[in-house]
Amino acid sequence: MQLKNLATLVSGALLIGSPLVAGLFHSCSNPALSSKVTDEAPKDTDRSQLAVQNLRRSIDLLDRTMEVYFEPQTLKMSRFYNPSTQEKSEEVASVWMYTAGIEAVNAILHGLEDLNNSGESALYQAHYDRLVDLLDNFYTQADYYLGSFELTSYTQTKTWSVYAVNRAANKGEADVSGVLNVYDDQMWLIRELLDSYALTGKQGYLEKAEYLTDYVLDGWDVTRKQDGKENGGIPWGPGYTTKHACSNGPLISSLVWLHEIYKNQPEEITHRYIDSDDLETRRQEQVEKQDYYLNYAEAVYQWQKSNLLNQQGVYTDMMGGCVPNCDIQYQEIDGVRYRANTPLTEAVGEAYTYNSGTMLSGAADLHRATGQDQYREDALQLSESSFRHFAVLGQEVPQHYTFESDGFRNWFNGILLRGYHDIADLDPQASAYMQAFQANLDYAFEHHLQEGLLPSNLLVGWGDDQQDQNVEGMFMFTYAAQYAVLAQQQADAAF
């Protein structure tokens, strides 16, 4: 299919499932004609009604998830729940899964603000304050994932207090050694902390985000090649040598946001690096935060684009092919021990939706911050390529696009949707791609809603075996976040 025709198919045929959305487009019973879009523009009243419906559904999903997956006092989160048997798993959610809840709350708060600013204040008045309180509670109880350890990095040895993969029995006592903390988990928290800071203005969120940003940038490979250029890239975690799309791309937007927070302010930060003329000497200098964060945003973006953009125009999972192996190597310089570079020789693994989604968001934010046309061109190409690569028309339900849903792909897909939302001002087709998500969520909501929850496969449903209907709590959160992002899109278009 030619991509120039995708917008017509997506924005027309895919919206039939929702009663409100169906009113935006003319269709008929003939499937061959149902993909044609009316010449009339959607009415703002229809868009505003859809925004309200999306946000109501988002809030309902959030509240139901909090009810069945969580212990109310400590916010201990079970990983799975089965709506047929009404049983939740003994397995506890990881910090990444837990952070999906913060993501959903932030997205809803943005949607509530958009509606309130447009004059639709009922939902805002009913829910905003309680959700801000829930946000505070999420961050407070996240301390069950917090722990401390000493790390020898490329430029220093330092003790850090960061978030573990697994939840501990007591706050601050989580095991964060070795592979038990990863940089991408910190990056998702940084993104949400900065989003929460933008929503509430609470300084503590910004301070925590900057601390974690210092930690993950301490993982940036500052070692030099023979030509004096940095090797660059951030490994999956301090216990790994492979450098992943998911441990680089998610940081780009946050770095741009930090640049914008400190723009035209004199505040400084310590930049640690290796001299380009002396390939072993570690140095440090004080630089302005506004430059430091933007320079790193561009460096991370360029590293990922140079190394992981594949021939299909989307992003491969990681750089592997470790030489001589994937063990962490160290070197001693003037009696001080530092981490050494591990050469990586090939891009390997699958292309996942979220790795392209973070680069879409990063390109949009870098274009806004720098005005460079290249970022807009990158966003347009990646937008088209990613939808072509990841969306399959009619595979499971006629006139609906299937996105793979096995593994953790439901959450991954939500990051791609967020990328389309972030580039909507740059790409006229992005809003049409977003409607594929709208149609799938609405189809599931109207055909497969069970006990207030949605299945892992939105189009196929739950299956016949009631014992095999466990669904990830983070998927409920990503559905809530997706509905809230779509509400923001409709509110912006209507008002």
Side-chain angles (χ1 to χ4, degrees):
M1 181 187 300
Q2 294 297 314
L3 264 289
K4 64 182 180 182
N5 295 324
L6 270 178
T8 299
L9 277 170
V10 175
S11 59
L14 292 183
L15 299 180
I16 296 171
S18 167
L20 276 175
V21 184
L24 302 183
F25 298 93
H26 294 304
S27 63
C28 62
S29 59
N30 185 341
L33 299 178
S34 62
S35 64
K36 294 184 178 179
V37 181
T38 178
D39 292 332
E40 298 177 6
K43 297 179 180 179
D44 288 345
T45 54
D46 293 329
R47 293 188 189 278
S48 63
Q49 290 173 13
L50 180 57
V52 171
Q53 175 179 283
N54 283 342
L55 211 50
R56 286 188 187 279
R57 290 182 173 182
S58 177
I59 293 168
D60 287 345
L61 287 169
L62 172 70
D63 287 345
R64 183 59 176 154
T65 304
M66 298 303 301
E67 181 180 2
V68 300
Y69 286 86
F70 282 82
E71 292 181 1
Q73 298 302 317
T74 64
L75 292 192
K76 183 179 181 181
M77 177 184 172
S78 294
R79 179 175 174 182
F80 295 105
Y81 179 80
N82 186 324
S84 292
T85 63
Q86 298 184 346
E87 295 175 346
K88 62 183 180 181
S89 68
E90 294 184 3
E91 182 180 358
V92 177
S94 70
V95 72
W96 169 42
M97 299 166 186
Y98 181 91
T99 305
I102 302 174
E103 175 190 10
V105 175
N106 276 335
I108 292 170
L109 289 172
H110 278 296
L112 290 172
E113 283 193 346
D114 286 352
L115 284 180
N116 187 56
N117 292 335
S118 68
E120 295 278 353
S121 61
L123 283 178
Y124 181 94
Q125 293 174 357
H127 299 288
Y128 192 86
D129 288 343
R130 77 173 180 91
L131 291 181
V132 168
D133 290 341
L134 176 58
L135 196 62
D136 282 339
N137 199 18
F138 259 120
Y139 286 121
T140 298
Q141 306 306 333
D143 285 354
Y144 282 102
Y145 294 94
L146 203 61
S148 299
F149 80 123
E150 185 180 81
L151 173 65
T152 295
S153 70
Y154 298 102
T155 60
Q156 63 179 337
T157 295
K158 181 176 178 178
T159 297
W160 297 93
S161 180
V162 298
Y163 292 89
V165 172
N166 300 316
R167 190 181 193 273
N170 299 302
K171 289 184 177 181
E173 296 182 4
D175 187 352
V176 292
S177 61
V179 298
L180 295 178
N181 87 86
V182 288
Y183 288 128
D184 57 322
D185 284 355
Q186 322 303 319
M187 291 179 188
W188 300 120
L189 275 162
I190 293 166
R191 183 188 70 169
E192 299 312 322
L193 283 160
L194 290 174
D195 214 7
S196 299
Y197 172 69
L199 285 159
T200 68
K202 294 183 179 180
Q203 191 69 20
Y205 293 155
L206 174 61
E207 292 171 359
K208 174 66 78 171
E210 285 201 82
Y211 178 86
L212 293 177
T213 300
D214 286 347
Y215 172 64
V216 296
L217 287 179
D218 187 57
W220 175 261
D221 188 348
V222 299
T223 60
R224 301 278 181 174
K225 304 172 186 177
Q226 289 302 311
D227 62 5
K229 295 181 180 178
E230 285 186 334
N231 282 293
I234 301 171
W236 191 13
Y240 297 89
T241 52
T242 51
K243 297 171 182 175
H244 294 235
C246 72
S247 60
N248 286 272
L251 187 62
I252 298 166
S253 288
S254 295
L255 289 168
V256 175
W257 300 347
L258 285 166
H259 154 75
E260 291 172 331
I261 289 170
Y262 289 104
K263 190 174 183 179
N264 299 323
Q265 296 187 36
E267 292 195 40
E268 294 185 339
I269 193 170
T270 301
H271 175 217
R272 292 180 173 84
Y273 64 102
I274 294 176
D275 196 308
S276 59
D277 295 323
D278 181 346
L279 303 185
E280 293 185 341
T281 302
R282 271 65 179 173
R283 300 193 184 280
Q284 64 182 53
E285 62 180 349
Q286 293 300 113
V287 296
E288 290 190 350
K289 287 184 176 181
Q290 61 174 334
D291 298 325
Y292 176 82
Y293 289 128
L294 184 57
N295 288 342
Y296 263 117
E298 294 197 271
V300 175
Y301 182 93
Q302 292 303 328
W303 181 89
Q304 183 135 316
K305 180 182 174 183
S306 298
N307 289 280
L308 296 177
L309 185 63
N310 65 27
Q311 292 183 345
Q312 289 74 45
V314 293
Y315 281 85
T316 298
D317 187 39
M318 68 177 189
M319 283 298 296
C322 311
V323 176
N325 55 50
C326 289
D327 295 340
I328 296 175
Q329 305 293 327
Y330 295 94
Q331 61 181 160
E332 191 170 299
I333 307 296
D334 296 330
V336 181
R337 191 170 186 245
Y338 300 102
R339 179 167 175 165
N341 171 256
T342 296
L344 303 174
T345 60
E346 59 180 336
V348 296
E350 294 186 48
Y352 296 106
T353 48
Y354 73 147
N355 293 329
S356 291
T358 57
M359 290 297 282
L360 283 170
S361 297
D365 287 326
L366 281 167
H367 179 267
R368 183 181 65 250
T370 69
Q372 293 181 24
D373 289 339
Q374 185 60 54
Y375 293 120
R376 179 179 181 276
E377 294 172 9
D378 288 352
L380 292 173
Q381 292 172 9
L382 181 56
S383 175
E384 180 179 350
S385 298
S386 61
F387 197 88
R388 182 198 300 115
H389 186 82
F390 295 115
V392 181
L393 178 62
Q395 178 173 292
E396 294 168 322
V397 173
Q399 304 301 327
H400 287 67
Y401 280 89
T402 290
F403 297 87
E404 291 186 17
S405 59
D406 60 312
F408 294 109
R409 284 175 173 82
N410 275 310
W411 187 85
F412 296 166
N413 297 340
I415 302 301
L416 181 61
L417 170 63
R418 181 165 175 159
Y420 291 142
H421 177 260
D422 289 343
I423 66 163
D425 289 340
L426 302 179
D427 182 5
Q429 292 203 85
S431 60
Y433 300 154
M434 293 178 69
Q435 299 313 312
F437 293 86
Q438 177 81 58
N440 291 356
L441 285 167
D442 288 345
Y443 185 90
F445 211 95
E446 291 150 18
H447 292 85
H448 302 308
L449 189 68
Q450 182 178 181
E451 296 288 323
L453 302 175
L454 297 177
S456 297
N457 189 312
L458 294 173
L459 298 180
V460 172
W462 296 96
D464 296 328
D465 185 355
Q466 290 189 347
Q467 300 300 317
D468 192 31
Q469 295 182 0
N470 279 337
V471 63
E472 298 263 8
M474 73 181 304
F475 291 177
M476 295 304 107
F477 282 138
T478 197
Y479 297 152
Q482 287 178 43
Y483 259 132
V485 168
L486 291 164
Q488 294 172 46
Q489 182 218 15
Q490 296 297 337
D492 291 344
F495 307 106

